[in-house]
Amino acid sequence: MSESVLDVRNLQVQFTTENQPIIAVDDLTLTLKKGEKLGIVGESGSGKSVTSLGIMGLIPTPGKVTEGEIWLNPETDSPPVNLIKVNSETRRKYRGGEIAMIFQEPMSALNPLFTIGFQIIEAILQHQNISQTEAERKAIALLQEVRLLPSDRELREAYTDKTRENSDKVITRYVNGQKQEILKRYPHQLSGGQLQRVTIAMAISCNPRVLIADEPTTALDVTVQATILDLLRDLCSQRGMSLIFITHDLGVIAELVDTVVVMYRGEVVETGEIEEVFINPQHPYTKGLLACRPRIDRKLQILPTVSDFMTVTIADDGKPIIQEKDADLASMEEDIVTEEQQETRLSQLLDNEPLLSVKNLQVGFPIKGVFARTQDYFMAVKDISFNVYPGETLGLVGESGCGKSTLARAILRLIPSLGGDIIFEGKNLAQIAIGDRKMRSVRREIQIIFQNPYNSLNPRMTIGKAIAEPMKVHNTDNGKERKNRVAYLLERVGLNPQMQNRYPHEFSGGQRQRVCIARALALNPRFIICDESVSALDVSVQAQVLNLLKELQEEFGLTYIFISHDLSVVKFMSDRILVMNQGNIEEIDTAEEIYRSPKTEYTRQLIAAIPKGEFD
């Protein structure tokens, strides 16, 4: 791996604004060797994605590369090329042919109006002088390489085993039919993990020397994430391809990359071999990133955060001045919740009457037939029963499509159920019609925090009005009392009350989620459902929000259902965990017991897929 394929030297990327220019990447230098897998790690706003877009020549207006060089060493005997200096047409030739990119959100990267086959073939024909038939054959081979389509041998064996058919002609017709069927699918007909495989197939279609993967697993379940990481590792090994893998989570790349670059506010603060950085981090920001992710093998009272390791002030020139704190990580990790403490707490919780009892709940979505008549139901929740006790946090885990969010919405009576009971404080909510005024008093007691804080807030409403809106709807306080409560709630979730006249776009993702939490608390509820409420956040912001939710539970006596596909996060938050799969309960037990002795193969797979982020 001695040969360099990409050299980025003193790169600076600047965005022009009405007030003053913003330097998104400042004096960045990195070298990518042949066959090397390099990780770029940092929170939102660190400049890692802007770095990748700068390398690709895709910086959006009003941004531009103002300084630096980007040298690409082509695979041929041609001399190195400074991509900054070449014209747009030449740059386009290298983009896709020599350097390719996988974006974070595959649904946005693919055109919903065209089949995946058309889009892969188009990418191939753009850079290779081959026929349509040959491009189609190559597209099928790529889909097999990224394991979206089984190999010819596997297709033949599966068909033979199922039908006992021995005719080679019939089997060949079946195999060819399966290949054509996958090419004719549209993006909406595939899952998130399948779509990401399509974008990988497109990226590698022209045999690039460098593949840039920008947060390619952030929106995926842990099991799907693990398969995508394995796939990228195998592709790099088989093709001799170099990889730049961008993420906010050091744990994700522990077993994938060789070298890691840590970025903070546009600058590289640490770089080195991945094992050395993990075992002996030098910069306080790196130490904070490593410490703030929940550990699956232990349960802390509170999670460390980046602010425990450093303080940041801004100099007159706008650059951050970082001062390291003497963080006592050892004492933080000594503050472990023992198994005995967990058992004592759970025993006390279970001595009470359940706050919520779900009995034989069934939720289905109608399948329409002729004349739009319902001919059947797709059952998303199948005969589920469980209890939640006052003051408890019940973790709800499972992959996308398992029914966990549907279950939450059924409990809130946002969608109807087909059968079963939902008993909350003695009232059977399943017997109350959706929209009935009887639900109004119940909704004061049960609130929900959604996954995406961007979509949860009205962009035309100040955050103060957004928090006060539930109080206004339920007519709980007068104007002055509402204003005082809004100020109190903002302060309680760690935001300045003077910010209440600002709009959602003026806040970061973590701050928006704090606003959503404040709004959920506005009516003094007893029960809150957190539906993937931290999955869209950076790990450091995630740690802050998780700590906040625990503090609020203690202060207000809250009961939570905490929904996530990340078992390490759920284990930190929960007293018990309920594992769902395809609408059924796989198992329900204490968080410690689920991790130590999973009863089902599905739960074992979920645990095995969690990024460990550790080295011996």
Side-chain angles (χ1 to χ4, degrees):
M1 295 204 314
S2 59
E3 183 189 341
S4 167
V5 293
L6 187 71
D7 284 296
V8 180
R9 302 174 187 172
N10 310 111
L11 182 69
Q12 185 180 87
V13 180
Q14 181 175 290
F15 285 82
T16 304
T17 65
E18 291 181 0
N19 299 322
Q20 61 181 16
I22 295 174
I23 297 176
V25 176
D26 191 13
D27 196 29
L28 179 138
T29 296
L30 62 84
T31 298
L32 182 67
K33 300 173 184 175
K34 183 178 180 180
E36 182 181 22
K37 296 181 285 292
L38 182 145
I40 302 180
V41 179
E43 300 171 279
S44 298
S46 65
K48 57 188 189 299
S49 291
V50 175
T51 298
S52 68
L53 293 173
I55 294 171
M56 294 293 294
L58 296 173
I59 298 287
T61 304
K64 62 179 179 178
V65 175
T66 52
E67 291 182 21
E69 302 169 341
I70 302 173
W71 289 95
L72 174 69
N73 294 313
E75 193 165 15
T76 62
D77 294 331
S78 305
V81 178
N82 185 356
L83 297 178
I84 299 294
K85 299 295 184 181
V86 299
N87 59 41
S88 58
E89 186 176 338
T90 305
R91 188 74 175 260
R92 194 179 302 116
K93 183 184 73 173
Y94 288 114
R95 186 168 57 231
E98 294 281 346
I99 307 178
M101 188 165 178
I102 307 165
F103 294 94
Q104 177 176 349
E105 179 48 63
M107 201 65 188
S108 301
L110 296 169
N111 191 325
L113 299 178
F114 296 102
T115 65
I116 63 168
F118 175 87
Q119 295 182 68
I120 297 172
I121 291 168
E122 183 184 41
I124 295 169
L125 293 174
Q126 183 76 24
H127 293 276
Q128 298 182 42
N129 186 23
I130 58 177
S131 67
Q132 177 80 18
T133 302
E134 194 173 347
E136 182 177 306
R137 192 179 302 116
K138 184 161 186 172
I140 291 169
L142 286 166
L143 291 176
Q144 290 177 324
E145 188 175 3
V146 299
R147 303 167 200 162
L148 184 58
L149 177 68
S151 67
D152 286 8
R153 181 181 58 80
E154 290 169 330
L155 285 169
R156 295 176 73 89
E157 288 177 354
Y159 184 71
T160 303
D161 291 343
K162 183 173 68 175
T163 64
R164 305 297 179 191
E165 176 64 62
N166 294 317
S167 168
D168 189 64
K169 189 174 182 180
V170 172
I171 296 172
T172 300
R173 189 185 304 127
Y174 168 79
V175 170
N176 291 336
Q178 290 297 300
K179 292 177 181 178
Q180 290 300 316
E181 191 275 333
I182 192 73
L183 291 178
K184 292 176 182 176
R185 290 189 192 178
Y186 287 86
H188 73 272
Q189 296 175 298
L190 302 175
S191 69
Q194 289 173 322
L195 287 173
Q196 201 59 285
R197 290 171 188 268
V198 173
T199 62
I200 293 171
M202 291 176 67
I204 65 174
S205 62
C206 299
N207 299 311
R209 302 194 74 200
V210 177
L211 178 63
I212 300 174
D214 186 6
E215 300 268 16
T217 63
T218 300
L220 305 179
D221 298 323
V222 285
T223 49
V224 181
Q225 172 181 272
T227 60
I228 295 296
L229 294 177
D230 286 341
L231 173 61
L232 289 172
R233 187 187 301 109
D234 292 345
L235 288 172
C236 289
S237 176
Q238 293 162 9
R239 289 171 166 256
M241 187 168 56
S242 301
L243 174 71
I244 296 177
F245 190 95
I246 296 170
T247 182
H248 64 265
D249 190 346
L250 273 163
V252 168
I253 59 171
E255 298 176 5
L256 176 65
V257 305
D258 310 302
T259 309
V260 64
V261 172
V262 183
M263 292 187 68
Y264 179 72
R265 296 196 178 186
E267 298 182 359
V268 173
V269 296
E270 185 163 359
T271 184
E273 293 184 5
I274 184 69
E275 187 169 347
E276 179 62 27
V277 170
F278 263 76
I279 295 174
N280 188 28
Q282 298 300 305
H283 196 275
Y285 180 65
T286 311
K287 294 174 184 178
L289 283 183
L290 285 167
C292 65
R293 199 181 196 287
R295 294 276 294 271
I296 194 68
D297 59 343
R298 69 187 68 169
K299 185 172 184 176
L300 301 179
Q301 296 282 2
I302 61 171
L303 290 171
T305 63
V306 170
S307 61
D308 293 319
F309 295 83
M310 67 184 201
T311 56
V312 182
T313 56
I314 305 300
D316 293 339
D317 62 0
K319 291 190 175 184
I321 300 173
I322 298 171
Q323 291 182 310
E324 185 170 3
K325 286 184 179 179
D326 187 17
D328 190 354
L329 187 57
S331 66
M332 293 179 193
E333 296 196 341
E334 284 176 6
D335 196 17
I336 295 173
V337 183
T338 66
E339 194 170 339
E340 184 179 355
Q341 288 173 321
Q342 294 178 58
E343 289 175 354
T344 301
R345 171 177 162 78
L346 187 60
S347 176
Q348 293 170 347
L349 290 171
L350 299 184
D351 278 344
N352 300 305
E353 287 294 317
L355 179 63
L356 175 76
S357 290
V358 175
K359 300 178 180 179
N360 308 111
L361 185 65
Q362 301 174 56
V363 182
F365 297 100
I367 300 171
K368 301 295 184 180
V370 179
F371 303 117
R373 293 175 181 169
T374 300
Q375 62 180 17
D376 202 352
Y377 286 90
F378 170 76
M379 298 304 297
V381 175
K382 307 170 183 175
D383 199 29
I384 276 184
S385 299
F386 62 90
N387 294 326
V388 187
Y389 296 85
E392 180 186 17
T393 298
L394 178 69
L396 185 54
V397 298
E399 297 174 285
S400 298
C402 71
K404 54 188 188 295
S405 291
T406 300
L407 173 61
R409 284 160 172 74
I411 292 172
L412 289 160
R413 300 300 289 157
L414 298 177
I415 57 174
S417 53
L418 295 180
D421 300 313
I422 306 166
I423 300 172
F424 179 75
E425 292 189 318
K427 298 177 182 176
N428 191 347
L429 307 186
Q431 295 179 357
I432 303 176
I434 292 178
D436 194 307
R437 292 183 63 86
K438 293 178 182 177
M439 279 299 298
R440 174 166 287 199
S441 61
V442 176
R443 295 201 191 285
R444 292 182 57 178
E445 300 294 325
I446 307 179
Q447 292 290 309
I448 185 169
I449 304 168
F450 291 102
Q451 174 177 356
N452 193 334
Y454 297 87
N455 296 335
S456 299
L457 297 170
N458 187 333
R460 298 182 179 180
M461 186 181 287
T462 65
I463 64 160
K465 288 183 178 179
I467 296 170
E469 187 180 31
M471 294 182 271
K472 188 176 181 180
V473 169
H474 289 269
N475 198 27
T476 56
D477 299 298
N478 61 39
K480 185 176 180 181
E481 289 172 335
R482 285 177 203 151
K483 191 171 183 178
N484 290 338
R485 179 142 180 87
V486 168
Y488 166 73
L489 289 171
L490 282 171
E491 189 172 16
R492 190 60 199 86
V493 299
L495 295 174
N496 190 329
Q498 295 179 351
M499 294 179 172
Q500 61 183 281
N501 291 323
R502 296 185 185 179
Y503 289 86
H505 74 271
E506 298 179 83
F507 294 87
S508 68
Q511 288 174 321
R512 284 195 193 99
Q513 198 61 286
R514 289 171 184 266
V515 172
C516 292
I517 292 170
R519 186 176 61 178
L521 293 171
L523 296 171
N524 284 317
R526 297 190 62 194
F527 192 7
I528 296 179
I529 297 176
C530 305
D531 188 4
E532 297 275 14
S533 53
V534 297
S535 63
L537 305 178
D538 293 325
V539 285
S540 57
V541 180
Q542 173 183 277
Q544 296 169 20
V545 173
L546 293 175
N547 288 340
L548 173 63
L549 289 171
K550 280 206 162 189
E551 290 172 16
L552 294 172
Q553 182 175 43
E554 188 72 24
E555 179 176 339
F556 295 103
L558 299 171
T559 303
Y560 293 138
I561 288 181
F562 191 89
I563 300 173
S564 179
H565 61 262
D566 188 337
L567 200 56
S568 59
V569 169
V570 174
K571 185 173 183 287
F572 169 73
M573 286 294 298
S574 305
D575 300 294
R576 293 185 299 151
I577 293 177
L578 187 158
V579 183
M580 282 189 72
N581 182 25
Q582 296 183 355
N584 295 304
I585 294 178
E586 286 278 325
E587 55 185 299
I588 182 169
D589 211 325
T590 64
E592 193 61 39
E593 190 64 22
I594 289 279
Y595 168 66
R596 184 176 54 205
S597 304
K599 304 294 188 299
T600 68
E601 180 59 30
Y602 179 75
T603 308
R604 283 191 282 272
Q605 290 174 359
L606 283 181
I607 294 171
I610 298 170
K612 300 300 185 292
E614 295 175 337
F615 290 92
D616 296 329

CSV table of all heavy atoms in Angstrom, one decimal, residues 52 69 71 84 167 172 189 191 221 241 292 343 361 363 474 503 508 555 569 598 602:
chain,number,residue,atom,x,y,z
A,52,SER,N,-15.3,15.7,1.1
A,52,SER,CA,-15.6,14.7,0.0
A,52,SER,C,-16.2,15.3,-1.2
A,52,SER,O,-15.8,15.0,-2.4
A,52,SER,CB,-16.6,13.6,0.5
A,52,SER,OG,-17.9,14.2,0.8
A,69,GLU,N,-4.6,21.9,-3.3
A,69,GLU,CA,-4.5,21.0,-4.5
A,69,GLU,C,-5.1,19.7,-4.2
A,69,GLU,O,-5.0,19.2,-3.0
A,69,GLU,CB,-3.0,20.9,-4.8
A,69,GLU,CG,-2.3,22.2,-5.1
A,69,GLU,CD,-0.8,22.0,-5.1
A,69,GLU,OE1,-0.3,21.0,-4.7
A,69,GLU,OE2,-0.1,22.9,-5.7
A,71,TRP,N,-4.5,16.1,-5.9
A,71,TRP,CA,-3.7,15.3,-6.9
A,71,TRP,C,-4.2,13.9,-7.0
A,71,TRP,O,-4.3,13.2,-6.0
A,71,TRP,CB,-2.2,15.3,-6.6
A,71,TRP,CG,-1.6,16.7,-6.8
A,71,TRP,CD1,-1.4,17.6,-5.8
A,71,TRP,CD2,-1.1,17.2,-8.0
A,71,TRP,NE1,-0.8,18.7,-6.4
A,71,TRP,CE2,-0.6,18.5,-7.7
A,71,TRP,CE3,-1.0,16.7,-9.3
A,71,TRP,CZ2,0.0,19.3,-8.7
A,71,TRP,CZ3,-0.4,17.5,-10.3
A,71,TRP,CH2,0.1,18.8,-10.0
A,84,ILE,N,-8.1,20.3,-9.2
A,84,ILE,CA,-8.6,21.7,-9.0
A,84,ILE,C,-8.4,22.5,-10.3
A,84,ILE,O,-9.1,23.4,-10.6
A,84,ILE,CB,-7.8,22.4,-7.9
A,84,ILE,CG1,-8.0,21.7,-6.5
A,84,ILE,CG2,-8.2,23.9,-7.7
A,84,ILE,CD1,-9.5,21.7,-6.0
A,167,SER,N,-34.7,-29.7,-16.4
A,167,SER,CA,-34.4,-29.3,-17.8
A,167,SER,C,-33.6,-28.0,-17.7
A,167,SER,O,-33.9,-27.0,-17.1
A,167,SER,CB,-35.8,-29.0,-18.4
A,167,SER,OG,-35.6,-28.3,-19.6
A,172,THR,N,-32.6,-22.2,-17.2
A,172,THR,CA,-31.9,-21.1,-17.8
A,172,THR,C,-33.0,-19.9,-18.0
A,172,THR,O,-32.7,-18.8,-17.7
A,172,THR,CB,-31.3,-21.4,-19.1
A,172,THR,OG1,-30.3,-22.4,-18.9
A,172,THR,CG2,-30.6,-20.2,-19.7
A,189,GLN,N,-39.6,0.3,-4.7
A,189,GLN,CA,-39.9,-1.2,-4.5
A,189,GLN,C,-38.8,-1.9,-3.7
A,189,GLN,O,-38.9,-3.1,-3.5
A,189,GLN,CB,-40.1,-1.9,-5.9
A,189,GLN,CG,-41.3,-1.3,-6.6
A,189,GLN,CD,-41.5,-1.9,-8.0
A,189,GLN,OE1,-40.6,-1.8,-8.9
A,189,GLN,NE2,-42.6,-2.6,-8.2
A,191,SER,N,-36.0,-1.9,-0.3
A,191,SER,CA,-35.7,-1.4,1.1
A,191,SER,C,-34.5,-0.5,1.1
A,191,SER,O,-33.8,-0.4,0.1
A,191,SER,CB,-35.5,-2.5,2.0
A,191,SER,OG,-34.2,-3.2,1.7
A,221,ASP,N,-30.7,0.0,9.6
A,221,ASP,CA,-30.7,-0.9,10.8
A,221,ASP,C,-29.3,-1.4,11.1
A,221,ASP,O,-28.5,-1.6,10.2
A,221,ASP,CB,-31.6,-2.1,10.7
A,221,ASP,CG,-33.1,-1.6,10.5
A,221,ASP,OD1,-33.4,-0.6,11.1
A,221,ASP,OD2,-33.8,-2.2,9.7
A,241,MET,N,-9.3,-1.6,-4.4
A,241,MET,CA,-9.9,-0.2,-4.5
A,241,MET,C,-9.6,0.5,-3.2
A,241,MET,O,-9.6,-0.1,-2.1
A,241,MET,CB,-11.4,-0.3,-4.7
A,241,MET,CG,-12.1,0.9,-4.9
A,241,MET,SD,-13.8,0.6,-5.5
A,241,MET,CE,-14.4,-0.5,-4.2
A,292,CYS,N,-18.5,8.9,24.4
A,292,CYS,CA,-19.9,9.2,24.5
A,292,CYS,C,-20.8,8.2,23.9
A,292,CYS,O,-22.1,8.2,24.1
A,292,CYS,CB,-20.2,10.6,23.9
A,292,CYS,SG,-19.9,10.7,22.1
A,343,GLU,N,-31.7,-5.0,39.2
A,343,GLU,CA,-32.7,-5.9,39.7
A,343,GLU,C,-33.6,-5.3,40.8
A,343,GLU,O,-34.8,-5.5,40.8
A,343,GLU,CB,-32.1,-7.2,40.2
A,343,GLU,CG,-31.5,-8.0,39.1
A,343,GLU,CD,-30.7,-9.2,39.6
A,343,GLU,OE1,-30.5,-9.3,40.9
A,343,GLU,OE2,-30.2,-10.1,38.8
A,361,LEU,N,-53.1,-7.2,21.0
A,361,LEU,CA,-53.3,-6.1,20.1
A,361,LEU,C,-53.0,-6.5,18.7
A,361,LEU,O,-51.9,-7.2,18.4
A,361,LEU,CB,-52.4,-4.9,20.4
A,361,LEU,CG,-52.6,-3.6,19.6
A,361,LEU,CD1,-54.0,-3.0,19.8
A,361,LEU,CD2,-51.5,-2.6,19.9
A,363,VAL,N,-52.8,-4.9,14.6
A,363,VAL,CA,-52.9,-3.8,13.7
A,363,VAL,C,-52.6,-4.2,12.3
A,363,VAL,O,-51.6,-4.9,12.1
A,363,VAL,CB,-52.0,-2.7,14.1
A,363,VAL,CG1,-52.1,-1.4,13.2
A,363,VAL,CG2,-52.1,-2.3,15.6
A,474,HIS,N,-55.2,22.7,24.6
A,474,HIS,CA,-55.9,22.1,25.7
A,474,HIS,C,-56.4,23.2,26.8
A,474,HIS,O,-56.9,22.8,27.8
A,474,HIS,CB,-55.0,21.1,26.4
A,474,HIS,CG,-54.8,19.9,25.6
A,474,HIS,ND1,-55.6,18.7,25.7
A,474,HIS,CD2,-53.9,19.6,24.6
A,474,HIS,CE1,-55.2,17.8,24.9
A,474,HIS,NE2,-54.1,18.3,24.2
A,503,TYR,N,-36.8,30.7,14.9
A,503,TYR,CA,-37.4,29.7,14.1
A,503,TYR,C,-36.6,28.4,14.1
A,503,TYR,O,-35.4,28.4,14.3
A,503,TYR,CB,-37.7,30.2,12.7
A,503,TYR,CG,-38.8,31.3,12.7
A,503,TYR,CD1,-38.5,32.6,12.9
A,503,TYR,CD2,-40.1,30.9,12.5
A,503,TYR,CE1,-39.5,33.6,12.9
A,503,TYR,CE2,-41.1,31.9,12.5
A,503,TYR,CZ,-40.8,33.3,12.7
A,503,TYR,OH,-41.8,34.2,12.7
A,508,SER,N,-29.6,23.7,15.5
A,508,SER,CA,-29.0,22.5,15.0
A,508,SER,C,-30.0,21.4,15.2
A,508,SER,O,-31.0,21.5,15.9
A,508,SER,CB,-27.7,22.2,15.8
A,508,SER,OG,-28.0,21.9,17.1
A,555,GLU,N,-36.9,13.7,37.3
A,555,GLU,CA,-37.6,14.9,37.9
A,555,GLU,C,-39.1,14.9,37.8
A,555,GLU,O,-39.8,15.3,38.7
A,555,GLU,CB,-37.0,16.1,37.1
A,555,GLU,CG,-37.6,17.4,37.6
A,555,GLU,CD,-37.0,18.6,36.9
A,555,GLU,OE1,-35.9,18.5,36.4
A,555,GLU,OE2,-37.6,19.7,36.9
A,569,VAL,N,-28.0,1.7,22.6
A,569,VAL,CA,-28.7,2.8,23.0
A,569,VAL,C,-29.9,2.4,23.9
A,569,VAL,O,-30.1,3.0,25.0
A,569,VAL,CB,-29.2,3.7,21.9
A,569,VAL,CG1,-30.1,4.8,22.3
A,569,VAL,CG2,-28.0,4.3,21.2
A,598,PRO,N,-29.6,-14.0,25.1
A,598,PRO,CA,-30.7,-13.9,24.2
A,598,PRO,C,-31.3,-15.2,23.9
A,598,PRO,O,-30.6,-16.2,23.7
A,598,PRO,CB,-30.0,-13.3,22.9
A,598,PRO,CG,-28.6,-13.6,23.0
A,598,PRO,CD,-28.3,-13.7,24.5
A,602,TYR,N,-32.9,-14.3,16.3
A,602,TYR,CA,-33.0,-13.0,15.8
A,602,TYR,C,-32.4,-12.0,16.7
A,602,TYR,O,-31.7,-11.1,16.3
A,602,TYR,CB,-34.5,-12.6,15.6
A,602,TYR,CG,-34.8,-11.2,15.2
A,602,TYR,CD1,-34.6,-10.9,13.8
A,602,TYR,CD2,-35.3,-10.3,16.0
A,602,TYR,CE1,-34.8,-9.6,13.4
A,602,TYR,CE2,-35.5,-9.0,15.6
A,602,TYR,CZ,-35.3,-8.6,14.3
A,602,TYR,OH,-35.5,-7.4,13.8
